Amino acid sequence: MNAASTIITLPVLLPLLGAAVSVVFARSAMLQRVVGIVVLAAVAALAAVLLVMADTSGPVVASLGGWAAPVGIALVADRLSALLLLVSSLVTLAVLVYAIDQRIADYGRGTASTTFHPMYLMLSAGVSLAYLTGDLFTLFVAFEVMLTASYVLISRRTSATRVRAGMTYVTVSLMSSLLFLTAIALVYAATGTVNLADLAGRMDALPGELRTVLGLMLLVVFGIKAAIVPLHFWLPDSYPNAPGPVAALFAGLLTKVGFYALLRTQTLLFSRDEPWMLMLVLAVATMLVGALGALAQNDLNRLLSFLLVSHIGFMLFGLAVFDPEGVGGAALYAAHHITVLATLFLVSGLITRRTGTVALDQMGGLARTAPGLAVLFAIPAMTLAGLPPTAGFVAKLALLEAGVGVGNAAVAVAAVVMVASLLTLVALVRVWVRVFWGEPRPPLPDDDPDDEVVVGTAATAAPMYAATAGLVAVSLAIAVFAGPLTEITDRAGTDLLDRGPYRVAVLGGAP
Amino acid sequence: MTDPDDRADRAGSADADGGGVASTWDGPSQPWLLNGDCRGRQHRSLLLEITTRAVFPTVLVFSVYLLLVGHYGPGGGFSAGLVAGLAFVLRHIAGGGGDLGTGRVVRPPTVFGTGMAVAVLSALLPLAFGLGVLESAKLGVTLPVLGTIEVQTSLLLEVGVYLLIVGVVLELLRSLGTGIERDLDEAGEQPES
């Protein structure tokens, strides 16, 4: 009990402690860097331990303060949350290394920041808590911790136009938080509990209409956070305006935490027996709007943002199928999506750093001037497009296999998945042709010299490339270990739909 | 812009009130009026400054009381921190931004950083005694005059929260209060009357 309670709370408490230390010693740049990297590496190690524990002996549960669920707050790590926590913490670590190195390259070794490191670790604590909590209200708190830190990260040291773009993000996020809080109040009024495992039983007893209303409210809440079409509009306007590593962090983690919450609540609280038609429609809309939107962009980061939205649709498809393979496939796709999108945004940061612009029609010839960068872009691009033998292919295959077994509507959506993959490939090939082929061009001057990120400089530090390459390696590892990973996510999918192990682990005794 | 006459006026009043009186044994050791840098003469209120001077320590003591009774009664680290923060807000209103700057020895981020560290460590402390995270225990302390006092170990967490909130309020006063006044001054705007 104690060992488990320690291991499961530390991924939340360590980043908080790290954030506190970073604030107190805000003048020691070196200490901040060491604390950040050590803390996030520790979280990744703990997540790996949790994944092994959850996979071998069922969900790991800790009751905070010794108050057992449903009275107290429970932290739960089952296969799904441990896997996503592991992937997320690896991405967070790599992006931090990249960000630290960018700051060293641009501002020198001695420059400390009072906000960046603490807020980065706060965000990481919020993400860990969101994955691990077994309580609807604590999920809200986790989202708030995460979002509040992200408001600071998106708007610090930046220009008026970018603050304007950040405002969209803040307003939409606050709107969804308000709705989330309302939904929690209604859920509590209807059932008298906010413990997810306890709710799983009590929701079944509610009248069908009430369940539908609560389910749809939570769908809208997490739909905004996960950028489901038509609630995605804020994302391509705000993410591209964040500094490179911050955009990579947001693209990798925030929408997936939203999707995780959607997956968790819909499977645990609103279980259903057949494919979910509404979600199938939303999946189609998300895939197509995202992919077609990406084709129309000239801004590299906006293009990637639309592709991000498009591939959220793939995960929705897995959820819509609502069978163990589908849900497991969605979990695997989420793990792959976290890594690949963060990598692509980091690569985009490196490209912009060299060319001084995000406009595709003003770049060219990078394959000749920066062949390493070309390789770093090509691998995640192929992964996102889902070409064999990459992780994207494995994850997409798992989704398609799940889809073809459950009826005509799902088969039709599976066809849309193929179309969206093709459109993704077209969009990325367009980037490849514009950016990496053609005549090399001299870098454009930094049009915004006061902001966080210096661009248009040839000075790139090797660790920035190493961090990006590390993420590419994580993505390749997902492909290499596709066998065991698919087995874990399949078992995760079975658990999610069965609900039994989760409830027994949290509540104990009779499910 | 601050009126130069205003500065001279204030310096004079501080002198008259506090400068020379420290020589007598029962004289106040500090000037009674706050020594802050107020943006405009019309922003100063003698009544408010004197009241603040009298009320400030009382409010701080009250906040500590709230912190201590919080386990069984209304109060706790959060509300106690807010009450203490309000005491500083009062000083800010009465004495201007400069008042909080003059006597300060720690930066606000250090205060709330320490608070957060204390809170997190107090969550982890029970592990050292074989308990779960965030578990608390009741400690009995026998003091000579007061008798036995029972203390919940969760008080440590409350102290962390208290420091966190006080630090955040001070930081808000620094960044949004004094910072905006300074920006206005730099922009050359006259204070509103």
Side-chain angles (χ1 to χ4, degrees):
Chain A
M1 168 63 207
N2 269 343
S5 108
T6 315
I7 292 174
I8 198 170
T9 44
L10 282 182
V12 183
L13 292 180
L14 278 183
L16 282 181
L17 189 60
V21 172
S22 298
V23 168
V24 174
F25 298 99
R27 295 200 178 132
S28 166
M30 199 60 214
L31 184 77
Q32 282 188 332
R33 290 178 197 131
V34 171
V35 164
I37 290 176
V38 166
V39 159
L40 291 178
V43 171
L46 289 165
V49 173
L50 278 177
L51 181 58
V52 172
M53 285 168 76
D55 195 42
T56 49
S57 55
V60 185
V61 181
S63 311
L64 295 185
W67 296 91
V71 177
I73 295 170
L75 294 188
V76 192
D78 63 353
R79 294 187 178 98
L80 172 67
S81 42
L83 174 68
L84 291 183
L85 180 64
L86 174 60
V87 176
S88 299
S89 50
L90 288 175
V91 167
T92 323
L93 179 61
V95 174
L96 181 66
V97 172
Y98 179 102
I100 286 176
D101 206 64
Q102 183 174 47
R103 297 174 59 81
I104 291 179
D106 292 347
Y107 305 110
R109 201 160 277 281
T111 310
S113 162
T114 42
T115 47
F116 179 76
H117 283 272
M119 283 304 145
Y120 196 93
L121 289 173
M122 284 295 281
L123 191 135
S124 159
V127 169
S128 299
L129 185 60
Y131 285 139
L132 293 176
T133 182
D135 181 287
L136 202 56
F137 189 77
T138 315
L139 185 63
F140 171 77
V141 174
F143 269 114
E144 285 305 295
V145 170
M146 189 173 90
L147 291 174
T148 310
S150 75
Y151 302 154
V152 180
L153 286 176
I154 204 171
S155 58
R156 59 183 284 274
R157 290 200 58 183
T158 187
S159 59
T161 48
R162 291 181 171 195
V163 169
R164 170 72 190 75
M167 281 299 290
T168 314
Y169 174 70
V170 173
T171 315
V172 171
S173 300
L174 285 178
M175 221 15 245
S176 93
S177 297
L178 199 64
L179 198 57
F180 192 7
L181 202 58
T182 316
I184 292 173
L186 291 178
V187 166
Y188 186 74
T191 61
T193 180
V194 285
N195 181 287
L196 287 174
D198 201 18
L199 274 176
R202 300 205 192 181
M203 273 290 176
D204 291 343
L206 291 182
E209 298 84 358
L210 186 56
R211 276 186 73 195
T212 309
V213 169
L214 294 176
L216 287 179
M217 277 188 89
L218 289 177
L219 172 64
V220 171
V221 168
F222 300 131
I224 293 175
K225 315 236 192 234
I228 297 175
V229 172
L231 303 170
H232 71 294
F233 55 90
W234 55 272
L235 193 143
D237 279 339
S238 53
Y239 282 15
N241 287 294
V246 172
L249 184 72
F250 287 11
L253 297 186
L254 299 190
T255 46
K256 257 63 67 186
V257 175
F259 176 73
Y260 164 81
L262 183 68
L263 189 59
R264 175 70 73 197
T265 48
Q266 295 296 336
T267 52
L268 199 56
L269 308 187
F270 308 99
S271 188
R272 56 186 72 234
D273 299 325
E274 67 252 20
W276 186 6
M277 284 305 151
L278 171 65
M279 190 49 89
L280 278 178
V281 174
L282 290 177
V284 169
T286 308
M287 284 189 276
L288 290 182
V289 168
L292 293 173
L295 286 178
Q297 303 306 318
N298 186 43
D299 175 328
L300 178 55
N301 284 336
R302 275 183 73 86
L303 186 144
L304 291 177
S305 302
F306 272 103
L307 286 182
L308 191 171
V309 172
S310 167
H311 286 249
I312 294 285
F314 288 47
M315 291 175 242
L316 298 181
F317 171 54
L319 172 61
V321 170
F322 236 93
D323 67 358
E325 290 79 25
V327 174
L332 185 61
Y333 206 92
H336 141 71
H337 193 267
I338 291 174
T339 10
V340 75
L341 257 306
T343 321
L344 280 172
F345 269 92
L346 286 188
V347 173
S348 156
L350 287 173
I351 291 175
T352 312
R353 196 174 165 79
R354 251 183 187 277
T355 59
T357 176
V358 286
L360 291 175
D361 55 7
Q362 294 180 17
M363 306 183 199
L366 274 186
R368 214 172 303 164
T369 52
L373 199 52
V375 175
L376 283 183
F377 175 78
I379 298 175
M382 285 195 284
T383 310
L384 185 64
L387 300 182
T390 59
F393 175 71
V394 176
K396 197 168 66 182
L397 193 64
L399 286 176
L400 290 177
E401 277 179 353
V404 292
V406 293
N408 291 334
V411 173
V413 180
V416 178
V417 169
M418 299 308 293
V419 173
S421 301
L422 193 66
L423 292 175
T424 306
L425 189 62
V426 172
L428 288 168
V429 165
R430 236 181 101 243
V431 174
W432 178 264
V433 171
R434 291 274 173 83
V435 177
F436 292 97
W437 284 354
E439 284 302 306
R441 297 192 189 199
L444 297 172
D446 194 345
D447 59 355
D448 202 0
D450 295 332
D451 69 353
E452 169 95 28
V453 178
V454 178
V455 298
T457 163
T460 27
M464 285 168 76
Y465 279 92
T468 316
L471 276 186
V472 172
V474 171
S475 177
L476 290 177
I478 294 180
V480 172
F481 297 107
L485 270 179
T486 316
E487 282 169 23
I488 291 180
T489 53
D490 277 351
R491 287 196 288 269
T494 315
D495 285 354
L496 280 175
L497 293 189
D498 180 23
R499 306 193 283 169
Y502 187 92
R503 294 180 55 198
V504 173
V506 176
L507 299 175
Chain B
M1 285 292 219
T2 315
D3 193 354
D5 290 341
D6 188 23
R7 286 182 187 283
D9 184 30
R10 257 187 334 94
S13 71
D15 233 20
D17 273 288
V21 285
S23 51
T24 53
W25 65 273
D26 58 346
S29 58
Q30 288 178 335
W32 256 92
L33 287 180
L34 300 167
N35 54 356
D37 184 14
C38 218
R39 291 191 66 233
R41 199 178 325 196
Q42 68 272 44
H43 281 217
R44 287 180 73 99
S45 153
L46 187 66
L47 186 63
L48 183 60
E49 287 188 25
I50 298 294
T51 314
T52 303
R53 175 80 202 195
V55 157
F56 179 72
T58 321
V59 177
L60 285 187
V61 170
F62 179 60
S63 80
V64 173
Y65 166 77
L66 282 180
L67 174 67
L68 292 177
V69 301
H71 193 75
Y72 294 112
F78 186 80
S79 41
L82 280 182
V83 168
L86 282 175
F88 288 104
V89 172
L90 197 58
R91 278 188 75 147
H92 180 85
I93 293 172
D99 174 49
L100 286 177
T102 46
R104 198 169 61 202
V105 286
V106 282
R107 300 176 314 124
T110 313
V111 178
F112 65 71
T114 313
M116 200 153 99
V118 168
V120 174
L121 289 176
S122 77
L124 290 173
L125 188 66
L127 291 174
F129 299 95
L131 296 170
V133 173
L134 277 171
E135 271 189 67
S136 62
K138 201 190 285 181
L139 300 178
V141 187
T142 311
L143 294 178
V145 184
L146 299 169
T148 304
I149 293 176
E150 284 182 344
V151 181
Q152 287 282 336
T153 51
S154 57
L155 182 65
L156 196 57
L157 181 82
E158 299 289 333
V159 170
V161 175
Y162 179 84
L163 288 176
L164 182 64
I165 301 296
V166 171
V168 166
V169 172
L170 286 176
E171 175 67 18
L172 285 178
L173 288 179
R174 188 190 65 78
S175 57
L176 295 182
T178 320
I180 288 175
E181 282 176 12
R182 196 178 49 236
D183 286 353
L184 286 178
D185 282 344
E186 279 168 8
E189 285 183 30
Q190 294 298 326
E192 292 166 22
S193 51

